[in-house]
């Protein structure tokens, strides 16, 4: 199925899943494997502000005040980024949309450029096990590479495999109480997107509790099928 996408239009994939499901990790692997561009709305917002784009200028005062940037601004920034040459091979959206209203607005935006969602990939997890997974996360303070005490430990304790730095950091909110609160918020707000994309025939459920490479292979198989 191609969801009505034209032959020239770049494919668009979405990764869905609660915090800690591995969306960022899998998006980076897809970028390496297929040449797709990983688009994280948080990163896009910060870059648009830093670059002083039209949408970035609108977002700056809101972000500086600690407010939530409107969907309209987020979509404008996303539209700007999708028009860049490096997105010609396709993109994978990480962290957007989060609500059905955002999904509908995204569909309208993509339709205007002859694109559509090729696949919405839901990374399925076990809530109880997710507490253990997230509470063991750590990140290299120098290069940003992510690790986990159990699932992805560095080869040398507290030392980054990628750059050799020893300043591993842990998020203060990566604790059981906060994780459960975030999972509850995901199920209440974002999980309904599964019905939305399921009704459009582009939803694919992937067991994300397996090893990273196994999950990556399952996602890749799905994506190859969608773009064949």
């Amino acid at each position: 199925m191609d969801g009505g996408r034209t032959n020239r239009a770049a494919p668009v994939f979405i990764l869905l899943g609660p915090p800690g499901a591995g969306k960022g990790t899998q998006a980076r692997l897809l970028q390496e494997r297929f040449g797709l561009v990983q688009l994280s709305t948080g990163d896009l917002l910060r870059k648009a502000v830093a670059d002083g784009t039209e949408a970035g200028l609108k977002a700056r005062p809101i972000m500086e005040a600690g407010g939530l940037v409107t969907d309209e601004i987020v979509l404008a920034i996303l539209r700007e980024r999708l028009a860049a040459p490096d997105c010609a091979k396709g993109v994978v959206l990480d962290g957007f949309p989060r609500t059905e209203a955002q999904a509908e607005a995204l569909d309208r935006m993509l339709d205007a450029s002859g694109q559509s969602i090729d696949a919405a990939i839901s990374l399925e997890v076990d809530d109880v096990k997710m507490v253990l997974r997230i509470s063991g996360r750590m990140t290299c303070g120098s290069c940003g590479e992510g690790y986990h005490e159990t699932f992805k430990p560095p080869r040398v304790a507290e030392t980054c495999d990628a750059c050799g730095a020893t300043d591993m950091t842990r998020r203060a909110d990566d604790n059981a109480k906060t994780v459960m609160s975030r999972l509850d918020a995901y199920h209440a707000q974002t999980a309904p997107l599964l019905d939305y994309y399921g009704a459009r025939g582009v939803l694919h459920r992937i067991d994300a509790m397996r090893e990273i490479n196994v999950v990556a292979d399952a996602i890749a198989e799905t994506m190859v099928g969608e773009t064949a």
Side-chain angles (χ1 to χ4, degrees):
M1 70 193 84
D2 62 11
R5 176 170 57 85
T6 65
N7 291 332
R8 291 185 177 181
V12 179
F13 300 96
I14 295 174
L15 287 182
L16 301 172
K23 296 187 296 297
T25 296
Q26 293 301 331
R28 287 192 295 273
L29 292 174
L30 290 172
Q31 184 171 257
E32 296 170 3
R33 191 164 187 169
F34 295 103
L36 301 173
V37 175
Q38 176 191 6
L39 298 182
S40 165
T41 50
D43 292 341
L44 289 178
L45 279 168
R46 287 185 287 273
K47 188 174 189 308
V49 169
D51 292 347
T53 68
E54 181 179 351
L57 291 174
K58 293 180 180 178
R60 180 189 292 276
I62 300 173
M63 295 174 67
E64 290 179 345
L68 293 176
V69 177
T70 65
D71 291 349
E72 181 182 2
I73 293 176
V74 172
L75 287 165
I77 290 174
L78 184 57
R79 186 184 300 110
E80 290 175 348
R81 186 65 181 89
L82 286 171
D86 64 333
C87 291
K89 288 186 177 180
V91 301
V92 53
L93 301 181
D94 167 21
F96 188 87
R98 295 179 183 274
T99 67
E100 188 168 329
Q102 290 178 346
E104 292 172 346
L106 176 62
D107 280 346
R108 290 193 294 270
M109 185 196 79
L110 292 174
D111 185 63
S113 61
Q115 293 174 282
S116 63
I117 303 302
D118 289 71
I121 300 166
S122 173
L123 300 182
E124 308 279 303
V125 301
D126 179 292
D127 283 5
V128 175
K129 292 179 180 178
M130 284 304 296
V131 175
L132 171 62
R133 172 181 283 190
I134 295 178
S135 62
R137 296 193 303 191
M138 51 188 171
T139 304
C140 174
S142 295
C143 72
E145 183 68 19
Y147 297 93
H148 191 281
E149 291 177 347
T150 303
F151 306 110
K152 187 188 173 186
R155 289 190 292 269
V156 178
E158 299 297 322
T159 301
C160 180
D161 296 343
C163 72
T166 57
D167 55 339
M168 290 291 177
T169 62
R170 300 167 192 269
R171 286 175 45 167
D173 60 350
D174 279 352
N175 58 74
K177 182 178 180 179
T178 302
V179 172
M180 288 305 299
S181 177
R182 285 152 61 189
L183 287 170
D184 288 343
Y186 169 77
H187 291 307
Q189 184 180 47
T190 311
L193 286 176
L194 303 182
D195 291 334
Y196 180 85
Y197 288 117
R200 284 155 179 74
V202 295
L203 178 68
H204 300 270
R205 297 175 181 266
I206 301 292
D207 178 3
M209 298 305 297
R210 298 171 291 178
E211 293 183 2
I212 291 173
N213 290 338
V214 174
V215 175
D217 287 343
I219 295 174
E221 184 177 346
T222 293
M223 294 175 67
V224 169
E226 288 301 326
T227 56

